[in-house]
Amino acid sequence: MPPRSVAVIGASSDRRKYGNKAVRAYQAHGWQVLPVNPNEPTVEGLPTHAHLADIPAPVDTVTMYVGPAVGLTLLPEIAAAKPREVWFNPGTTNPEVRAEIARLGLPAVFACSIVALGSSPREFPDA
């Protein structure tokens, strides 16, 4: 059985950011990690995708590491991808985003995806 796939929206090459720590956490847990960031060519040695729609295969999980204003614009694309679950990490939502999540019927989880893996962001050093 192939590893589960996760699109990390807001993946970053800055090791201090949670979008980077999530990439490393999912890698450490054996997932196929698909970084999404239109401004970075690679993250942790993985090629990035400018948009979720650029990923050629279905994605099991999406985890969000962007602010509410950016996230709101991405929700229709996420809904079109039909992931099994979408993780909205702390700081990624506001009432408008939550209303749109409900309207689109997204399979939303409001929690830290790194912690849900059984890890802590502190396990992934900034350097």
Side-chain angles (χ1 to χ4, degrees), residues 5-7 9 52 59-64 78 83 85-88:
S5 62
V6 60
I9 296 181
L52 183 60
V59 174
D60 297 316
T61 299
V62 171
T63 186
M64 300 285 285
I78 293 168
E85 59 190 6
V86 184
W87 287 79
F88 291 90

Side-chain angles (χ1 to χ4, degrees), residues 39-119:
N39 302 312
E40 302 217 22
T42 63
V43 171
E44 295 297 315
L46 300 170
T48 60
H49 303 273
H51 304 280
L52 183 60
D54 295 337
I55 298 171
V59 174
D60 297 316
T61 299
V62 171
T63 186
M64 300 285 285
Y65 286 94
V66 295
V70 172
L72 185 63
T73 68
L74 301 175
L75 294 180
E77 185 177 348
I78 293 168
K82 297 182 175 27
R84 193 177 338 184
E85 59 190 6
V86 184
W87 287 79
F88 291 90
N89 292 280
T92 63
T93 67
N94 62 19
E96 186 179 7
V97 171
R98 284 181 178 253
E100 187 65 4
I101 290 166
R103 188 186 76 73
L104 291 169
L106 290 174
V109 180
F110 301 99
C112 177
S113 61
I114 297 170
V115 172
L117 287 170
S119 292

